[in-house]
Amino acid sequence: QDSSDLLSPHGLLAAPHSSDRAAEDNGWSMTVQSEVRGIDGYPVVLPCTFNHPQHCQHSSLQVLWRRGHGQSAAVIYQCTIRPADPSCEPDPDQDQRYRLEGNPREHDLSLRINSATLQDNSRYYCRVEILGREHLSFEDKMGTRLRVEAPPRILALLVEGSELLGYTALCQVQGSPLPDVQWFGPDHQLEASPLGPPAKGSPARYRTISELRDVAPGQQYICSASNPLGKEQATLFVLPPQPPLPVGGAPPHILLLLSVDLGAKVLLLVVMGVLMMPGGALQRLCCWTR
């Protein structure tokens, strides 16, 4: 699909399958998109335009955007434009990621969100108020659903267990849609299992953990995460621990090499100094990729 199909009138990402929806009441009309799609880390615009039966070029206008509805609703942007001042500057305490993309004097209340994140997934409502002797206001009651998506990202690789009970590798990934995680050995795919469904809270609902049991020192394992937006892999090398030193000597170490494939770049991390417990038990080992 041509990427230009995703562009809103402001040149930023918008859902191609979303349709404009107009609300009308007593001569007012407001047009918004039912859904807008954004990509994690990129700006996105929520379109909103309105018409009013009275000429309001010389009136003071107040623009308000809120996130959510009911008791959980929160005002994320608010500004007032007056006849003598063409700009509509927000309060300096407001989140600077939000700014008006449209011009309220031209009946355009579109909101720009810079560097959208997965935590921005929600429903948004725009509202306009005409200030004066007759305080008039209008708001679209259905709102716009913002759906932010993200390519897979491997957050951590964990190795835990003991020589007696065996070792388990864990791969924690993040993405939206939730990535599919697979494990591979040197020449074939390995059977793994997820550690239960993702949590409902944000941002945990965009993360999942896959475990691979009975990993063996001296072997190489690949964790691969993919969704429609991309793919990321991390290669894990677990080398056998050094033999125990005499009593009173320094504790032995296990060496773990982690190679993360980031598109055309390969990042190699060397992690040393993981203490071995008596009897060959390996403390929880965690390596984060950045």
Side-chain angles (χ1 to χ4, degrees), residues 221-268:
Y221 303 93
I222 298 175
C223 174
S224 176
S226 62
N227 70 8
L229 297 181
K231 180 178 181 180
E232 180 164 295
Q233 292 184 341
T235 303
L236 183 68
F237 302 88
V238 182
L239 302 184
Q242 299 177 4
L245 296 178
V247 177
H253 303 77
I254 188 170
L255 174 63
L256 178 144
L257 300 180
L258 172 63
S259 173
V260 182
D261 183 5
L262 301 175
K265 298 181 180 179
V266 175
L267 175 64
L268 180 65

Side-chain angles (χ1 to χ4, degrees), residues 52-232:
H52 184 258
Q54 300 178 6
H55 183 68
C56 57
Q57 188 68 28
H58 302 292
S59 302
S60 294
L61 300 177
Q62 186 174 73
V63 180
L64 184 145
W65 277 87
R66 61 184 175 88
R67 171 178 173 166
H69 58 87
Q71 295 183 348
S72 62
V75 175
I76 60 171
Y77 185 90
Q78 181 175 334
C79 70
T80 302
I81 181 171
R82 305 185 186 281
D85 186 0
S87 63
C88 192
E89 295 297 330
D91 190 283
D93 294 335
Q94 292 183 147
D95 191 334
Q96 297 303 305
R97 292 193 308 131
Y98 304 111
R99 70 174 178 84
L100 281 186
E101 186 74 9
N103 182 354
R105 289 295 181 197
E106 298 177 357
H107 297 182
D108 190 345
L109 311 178
S110 300
L111 181 73
R112 175 187 175 112
I113 304 177
N114 288 316
S115 300
T117 70
L118 293 174
Q119 286 67 53
D120 290 322
N121 278 292
S122 187
R123 188 169 294 276
Y124 295 81
Y125 302 83
C126 70
R127 176 184 179 91
V128 60
E129 299 182 3
I130 299 179
L131 307 179
R133 287 178 299 178
E134 295 184 15
H135 192 100
L136 305 175
S137 64
F138 192 75
E139 175 180 317
D140 176 67
K141 301 300 182 182
M142 299 301 294
T144 297
R145 178 77 168 92
L146 174 59
R147 191 178 304 277
V148 180
E149 299 179 347
R153 186 160 66 96
I154 296 178
L155 302 177
L157 285 180
L158 308 176
V159 177
E160 59 183 16
S162 67
E163 185 176 3
L164 177 63
L165 300 177
Y167 299 111
T168 298
L170 306 177
C171 185
Q172 183 185 38
V173 303
Q174 175 178 280
S176 179
L178 200 64
D180 175 57
V181 182
Q182 296 178 322
W183 290 88
F184 297 90
D187 53 6
H188 63 284
Q189 183 176 344
L190 303 174
E191 184 176 354
S193 59
L195 289 180
K200 294 183 179 180
S202 181
R205 60 181 171 145
Y206 305 111
R207 299 177 180 178
T208 185
I209 300 177
S210 177
E211 70 171 7
L212 180 65
R213 299 176 181 176
D214 300 323
V215 298
Q219 298 297 318
Q220 169 182 313
Y221 303 93
I222 298 175
C223 174
S224 176
S226 62
N227 70 8
L229 297 181
K231 180 178 181 180
E232 180 164 295

